[in-house]
Amino acid sequence: MIILGIETSCDDTSAAIIKGPELLSNIISTQLIHQQFGGIVPELASRSHIQMIGPVLRQALDAASLSKRDIQGIAVTYGPGLAGSLLVGLCVAKGLSISLGIPMVGINHLEGHIWANKLSHPTLEPPFITLIVSGGHTQTVYVKSWREYQVLGRTRDDAAGEAFDKVAKLLKLGFPGGPVIEKLARENSNSTPDFPRAMMDKGNLDFSFSGLKTAVLNHTLDVGVEGTQQNLSSIASGFQEAVVDVLVEKTIRAAKRVKVSQICIGGGVAVNKVLQRTMKERGQKAGLSILWPEATMCMDNGAMIALAGYDYLKRGETSPISLSPVPSLNL
Ligand code: KG4
Ligand code: ZN
């Protein structure tokens, strides 16, 4: 079965083609227009999707050496995400579904991030814990079987990626914050400020990052503009350590709680090398195996949506043509 996956939930326009579970192409166009605003501007995101979805689709077909008539099913993200952005992908999926006379299925973006692990590790099977960690989400999910999910912990305020972005903005480092903070932290050779780890009390699986952001702000006020500029790399490193520490501790806790031996990571923050290394080191010490997808499968992409869609479409499960975006869709 040849399936087209479409992902437009936030600021990446992506289309991918799979044949059965085999990936044939995965094209991702990341919107750079938001950098000048220090965050994603929803209206610009939808306008940019409108411009890019045609060329991205064309490239995905060309890279797979297929024409649109070869597609047998469509999987499209219908939430969570920005309403206007989701609408672009949904409308294209519906147009193709009607004109080609093929089925369409709406996919939960978070379910896509879970399936992304299977793209990089084809033998992966549940049960496992996934940490979904991106600009919009931070949650640990117990994947009991494909399709059977239980959210064990989630952020009470900011997502971890959002905290990276807000701290980068505060330090005037640009957007998105994650890559630049990771790079700066790597350059640090000094001791780091001791930033707080929130909600670490025993048994708690939820996350909170807004207090950490405020602690970084207070630190910059204490040391002043010059002190901040001179210590950017140690502030970045201390902040990153605090985020990683909490993410790793809570994810391992979640795995122990439900007695599973595998942990997967997904979402844009999952490309962070310090997170990967720390999760691997501490996880292995606790007797757990740790996996993460390759970098293009961590970020938002059509391939993970196509693979999730394959699981539905091969069982004949489809969505009605009236499917609407659900911006706050849960797992
Ligand atoms: O999954 P994603 O591409 O989009 C969604 O938010 O759904 O994730 C983007 C987020 C941004 O907040 C960005 O700062 C963060 O992932 N990010 C990183 C790194 N690269 C991207 N965070 C930490 N370290 C990184 N290297
Ligand atoms: Zn995402």
Side-chain angles (χ1 to χ4, degrees), residues 7 9 109-110 113 132 134 137 267-268 298-300 304:
E7 159 62 41
S9 66
H109 178 81
L110 299 170
H113 277 303
I132 302 175
S134 71
H137 310 280
C298 286
M299 61 191 291
D300 291 349
M304 65 186 195

Side-chain angles (χ1 to χ4, degrees), residues 136 154-159 162 199 207-211 213:
R154 53 160 56 92
T155 183
R156 303 263 181 101
D157 39 57
D158 294 344
E162 189 180 357
M199 302 177 75
F207 304 90
S208 167
F209 295 106
S210 70
K213 181 187 62 194

